[in-house]
């Protein structure tokens, strides 16, 4: 907008200058007084363009971009006054006016006005010196000790010609005269350069390095918006007691004013959940065992196990508690386990992952009692539209290919993924996939589970986005817990391997999931499960 105004002013000045040159070339047709007025208007217009352009270069280009600081209103006002003063002197000289008498009269007038306006002028000059020294910038946190002993603290909103505006924690804005700031003590916390401390305690029997590592990872894995990770984040043991040890987590806030009210409580909440999952806080009241038994019994892999065996699974598994909107990844979910949702709800992005070994997705297994997904039949108009888009790259054969692929595609997302393999040019393939809808997402609630292939085959979870919608509790079922249950009932690994193989193929063939390119046949899955659990048993015996 400012650039447009400068261009407009320059264009208008050009038009006036052209008119003045035209008038000078035809002086006999124009009255002398009109020529003199036009001359004054042209000079003033040139001066305005000059001042605005130079002000733009100083304030918006040099100060903002080169210095990396936000200019205040006072700085803009001061620069404009100086430039306009210089421009006025130049214009008067061009017009042939004697500026000596003007400045002599002005000095006498300024002395009288200055005596009458001593305090306002003092504030103005103090504001100018504040801009020259720049002890603080807009966005910095300052504490101001007034003459009456009152402490004012908050974020610098602006520095005007007579006062500095401070926004306090309450949201109120306090206007402090610049003269008072120049005379009294000011403490400053530069934005992003002053750290804060958050206290937390853990039992005394936990190794300090483990505590500090968990605390730091709780923020690094999913940092709050106001935490500046460009600065170091670290935790330290602070005081030792027989019943608990006090720690402090140090971090740098981007906006210091929001740290105490918003960021500190968010960090404490995040630390509680992280330390709770690691078993480093006072024991949280977990779900009742009867509720857990009902959920485990609903998983078809475990239905044939006895009540005692299912109880063993629960006892040897680990319960994890997550805050709402918390990201679940390999930092939060331990490897080689299946995760059963106990309470709350989780959103899983069912996205096709392209890897060197093929296309894979995370298995989203819903408890049949919770299955509310409607069939996503592809309508003929949609198929026709996809065919037309594909035909741009591979020709008329696209219509038959799309129609055939639509018979087995569980979703429009899947149809685009399948058909994209027919386009060999990478750039054209990307253009085609721009029409692809967002990856399907599914909400998992109590009784749903995911990661059973991690449990039975030791495969890592694909790197897709899994987040909690609300506070959620998850039961992580480990291979050792399952081995204990099978041993309790005397069930061979091959029996449950057959059940898993049957479920794996039946489920994927009728779900929203993409079929893995390296999907094994039933016999292959059984063999892999047996090999994996036999290796686990051998490892347990050695340990």
């Amino acid at each position: 907008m400012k650039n447009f105004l400068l261009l407009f002013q320059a264009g208008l000045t050009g038009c006036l200058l052209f008119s003045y040159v035209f008038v000078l070339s035809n002086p006999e047709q124009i009255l002398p007084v009109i020529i003199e007025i036009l001359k004054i208007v042209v000079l003033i217009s040139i001066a305005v363009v000059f001042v605005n352009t130079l002000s733009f270069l100083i304030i918006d280009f040099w100060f903002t971009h080169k210095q990396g600081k936000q200019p205040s209103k006072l700085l803009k006002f001061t620069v404009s006054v100086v430039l306009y003063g210089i421009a006025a002197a130049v214009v008067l000289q061009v017009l042939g006016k004697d500026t000596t008498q003007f400045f002599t009269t002005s000095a006498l007038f300024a002395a009288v006005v200055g005596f009458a306006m001593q305090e306002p002028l003092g504030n103005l000059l103090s504001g100018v010196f504040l801009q020259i020294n720049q002890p603080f910038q807009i966005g910095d946190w300052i504490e101001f000790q007034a003459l009456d002993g009152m402490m004012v603290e908050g974020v610098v909103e602006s520095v005007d010609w007579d006062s500095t505006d401070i926004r306090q924690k309450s949201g109120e804005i306090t206007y402090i005269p610049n003269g008072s700031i120049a005379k009294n003590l000011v403490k400053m916390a530069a934005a992003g350069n002053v750290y804060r401390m958050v206290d937390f305690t853990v039992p005394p029997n936990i190794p300090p390095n483990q505590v500090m590592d968990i605390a730091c990872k709780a923020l690094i894995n999913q940092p709050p918006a106001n935490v500046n990770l460009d600065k170091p984040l670290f935790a330290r043991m602070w005081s030792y007691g027989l019943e608990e040890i006090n720690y402090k987590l140090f971090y740098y806030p981007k906006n210091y004013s929001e740290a105490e009210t918003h960021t500190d409580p968010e960090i404490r909440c995040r630390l509680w959940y992280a330390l709770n999952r690691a078993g480093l806080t006072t024991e949280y009241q977990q779900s009742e065992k009867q509720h857990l038994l009902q959920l485990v019994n609903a998983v078809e892999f475990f239905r044939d196990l006895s009540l005692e065996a299912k109880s063993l699974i629960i006892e040897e598994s680990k319960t994890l508690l997550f805050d709402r909107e918390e990201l679940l990844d390999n930092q939060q979910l331990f490897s080689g386990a299946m995760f059963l949702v106990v309470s709350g709800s989780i959103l899983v992005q069912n996205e096709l992952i392209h890897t060197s070994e093929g296309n894979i997705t995370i298995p989203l297994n819903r408890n049949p009692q919770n299955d509310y997904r409607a069939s996503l039949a592809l309508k003929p108009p949609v198929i026709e539209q996809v065919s037309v888009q594909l035909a741009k790259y591979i020709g008329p054969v696209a219509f038959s290919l799309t129609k055939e692929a639509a018979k087995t595609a569980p979703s429009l997302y899947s149809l685009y993924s399948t058909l994209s393999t027919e386009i060999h040019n990478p750039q054209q393939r990307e253009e085609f996939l721009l029409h692809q809808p967002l990856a399907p997402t599914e909400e998992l609630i109590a009784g749903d589970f995911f990661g059973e292939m991690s449990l039975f085959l030791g495969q890592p979870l694909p790197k897709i986005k899994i987040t909690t919608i609300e506070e959620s509790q998850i039961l992580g079922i480990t291979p050792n817990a399952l081995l204990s249950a099978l041993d309790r009932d005397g069930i061979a690994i091959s029996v449950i391997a057959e059940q898993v193989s049957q479920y794996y193929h039946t489920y994927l063939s009728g779900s929203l999931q993409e079929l893995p390119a390296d999907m094994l046949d039933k016999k292959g899955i059984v063999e892999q499960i047996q090999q994996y659990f036999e290796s686990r048993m051998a490892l347990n015996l050695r340990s």
Side-chain angles (χ1 to χ4, degrees):
M1 185 65 182
K2 196 167 186 178
N3 294 341
F4 175 76
L5 289 175
L6 286 174
L7 291 174
F8 176 76
Q9 290 173 355
L12 182 61
T13 302
C15 293
L16 291 171
L17 185 59
F18 177 79
S19 301
Y20 181 65
V21 172
F22 175 78
V23 168
L24 288 180
S25 62
N26 302 278
E28 66 280 355
Q29 300 178 8
I30 308 296
L31 294 174
V33 67
I34 295 179
I35 296 176
E36 188 67 20
I37 292 173
L38 188 57
K39 180 181 178 181
I40 295 173
V41 171
V42 169
L43 288 174
I44 293 175
S45 180
I46 293 174
V48 169
V49 172
F50 168 78
V51 169
N52 288 341
T53 302
L54 201 56
S55 176
F56 173 79
L57 292 175
I58 294 174
I59 300 297
D60 295 274
F61 183 77
W62 178 78
F63 191 87
T64 303
H65 290 85
K66 298 296 183 181
Q67 300 296 315
K69 300 173 182 177
Q70 184 179 357
S72 66
K73 295 178 183 178
L74 177 60
L75 179 62
K76 296 178 182 178
F77 175 76
T78 304
V79 170
S80 297
V81 168
V82 172
L83 292 177
Y84 273 116
I86 296 173
V90 172
V91 169
L92 290 173
Q93 287 289 341
V94 172
L95 292 174
K97 304 297 182 182
D98 185 10
T99 56
T100 305
Q101 184 179 0
F102 171 78
F103 283 116
T104 303
T105 306
S106 299
L108 180 61
F109 177 75
V112 174
V113 173
F115 183 78
M117 301 180 64
Q118 201 169 17
E119 185 173 349
L121 288 175
N123 291 330
L124 174 61
L125 291 175
S126 296
V128 173
F129 285 119
L130 285 176
Q131 284 301 315
I132 295 174
N133 296 325
Q134 294 182 346
F136 50 79
Q137 304 294 327
I138 294 175
D140 289 347
W141 178 272
I142 67 171
E143 296 180 1
F144 171 70
Q145 183 73 50
L147 290 174
D148 58 1
M150 183 181 71
M151 177 67 70
V152 178
E153 55 181 343
V155 177
V156 178
E157 286 280 312
S158 65
V159 181
D160 296 324
W161 69 273
D162 63 338
S163 66
T164 297
D165 304 344
I166 308 297
R167 183 177 293 277
Q168 301 184 75
K169 297 177 185 178
S170 62
E172 298 176 342
I173 294 181
T174 301
Y175 301 92
I176 303 177
N178 290 329
S180 299
I181 291 181
K183 295 177 184 177
N184 300 300
L185 177 64
V186 175
K187 295 181 180 179
M188 183 197 69
N193 291 316
V194 176
Y195 65 80
R196 286 189 63 84
M197 299 178 294
V198 175
D199 295 281
F200 63 97
T201 59
V202 298
N205 59 329
I206 310 299
N209 286 338
Q210 181 183 354
V211 175
M212 294 184 288
D213 183 59
I214 292 171
C216 291
K217 285 182 178 179
L219 295 192
I220 294 174
N221 179 55
Q222 191 181 0
N226 195 37
V227 174
N228 184 7
L229 288 186
D230 293 333
K231 299 283 186 177
L233 183 150
F234 55 93
R236 293 289 182 267
M237 178 192 288
W238 208 251
S239 62
Y240 182 84
L242 296 177
E243 296 183 356
E244 61 182 17
I245 296 179
N246 178 256
Y247 290 83
K248 290 183 182 293
L249 179 71
F250 297 81
Y251 77 96
Y252 287 81
K254 296 177 182 177
N255 188 335
Y256 200 88
S257 64
E258 296 181 0
E260 183 177 359
T261 308
H262 301 289
T263 313
D264 288 359
E266 185 178 356
I267 290 176
R268 291 190 187 98
C269 183
R270 185 74 58 79
L271 286 173
W272 187 92
Y273 281 97
L275 295 172
N276 178 271
R277 289 194 294 272
L280 306 186
T281 58
T282 304
E283 186 176 354
Y284 174 73
Q285 183 63 42
Q286 307 288 5
S287 298
E288 296 180 358
K289 184 177 180 180
Q290 188 61 35
H291 176 54
L292 289 175
L293 283 173
Q294 291 175 354
L295 296 177
V296 171
N297 184 63
V299 179
E300 57 186 85
F301 310 133
F302 309 139
R303 285 176 185 166
D304 296 334
L305 297 176
S306 65
L307 181 62
E308 291 78 10
K310 293 170 186 172
S311 298
L312 276 176
I313 289 179
I314 295 171
E315 291 171 7
E316 299 192 17
S317 296
K318 186 175 182 180
T319 304
L320 306 175
L321 189 66
F322 294 92
D323 193 8
R324 62 182 181 86
E325 298 180 359
E326 191 167 358
L327 181 66
L328 279 60
D329 58 12
N330 293 330
Q331 295 287 338
Q332 314 283 22
L333 303 175
F334 45 88
S335 60
M338 183 181 85
F339 299 96
L340 174 64
V341 181
V342 177
S343 63
S345 55
I346 297 172
L347 190 67
V348 182
Q349 183 175 335
N350 177 19
E351 184 177 4
L352 181 66
I353 304 297
H354 300 283
T355 67
S356 58
E357 288 133 10
N359 300 328
I360 57 175
T361 57
I362 190 170
L364 301 184
N365 297 287
R366 306 194 60 83
N367 188 318
Q369 298 173 0
N370 298 331
D371 198 358
Y372 54 81
R373 290 173 298 169
S375 174
L376 299 180
L378 295 172
K379 306 294 183 182
V382 175
I383 298 174
E384 182 71 18
Q385 182 181 5
V386 177
S387 301
V388 172
Q389 293 166 349
L390 182 63
K392 291 169 55 179
Y393 307 105
I394 65 173
V397 70
F399 292 88
S400 58
L401 286 175
T402 304
K403 187 175 181 180
E404 190 64 29
K407 294 178 180 179
T408 56
S411 67
L412 184 59
Y413 175 85
S414 172
L415 180 62
Y416 273 97
S417 298
T418 302
L419 294 175
S420 65
T421 59
E422 302 291 338
I423 305 174
H424 301 296
N425 184 300
Q427 185 176 355
Q428 292 180 344
R429 188 184 306 120
E430 289 182 9
E431 290 177 0
F432 174 70
L433 288 175
L434 289 176
H435 302 285
Q436 186 180 34
L438 296 175
T441 57
E442 290 194 67
E443 181 182 348
L444 305 186
I445 58 177
D448 296 334
F449 58 92
F450 61 93
E452 76 283 1
M453 288 301 107
S454 294
L455 173 63
F456 294 112
L457 293 176
Q459 295 179 350
L461 291 174
K463 295 180 179 179
I464 63 175
K465 190 175 182 180
I466 310 175
T467 53
T468 55
I469 300 175
E470 56 186 328
E471 183 181 84
S472 302
Q473 190 174 333
I474 299 175
L475 183 68
I477 301 174
T478 62
N480 287 342
L482 182 57
L483 284 173
S484 298
L486 295 177
D487 183 63
R488 169 63 182 76
D489 284 359
I491 298 177
I493 297 173
S494 59
V495 175
I496 198 166
E498 289 283 354
Q499 294 177 349
V500 173
S501 175
Q502 180 65 35
Y503 179 82
Y504 183 52
H505 284 78
T506 303
Y507 169 72
L508 284 179
S509 62
S511 72
L512 292 176
Q513 305 303 309
E514 302 287 348
L515 295 178
D518 57 349
M519 182 176 178
L520 300 172
D521 56 25
K522 295 181 180 180
K523 183 179 179 182
I525 290 181
V526 171
E527 291 176 353
Q528 279 206 10
I529 292 176
Q530 286 184 292
Q531 292 173 5
Y532 175 64
F533 273 87
E534 285 171 359
S535 65
R536 296 284 309 190
M537 291 173 64
L539 182 64
N540 291 341
L541 289 174
R542 285 198 298 270
S543 60

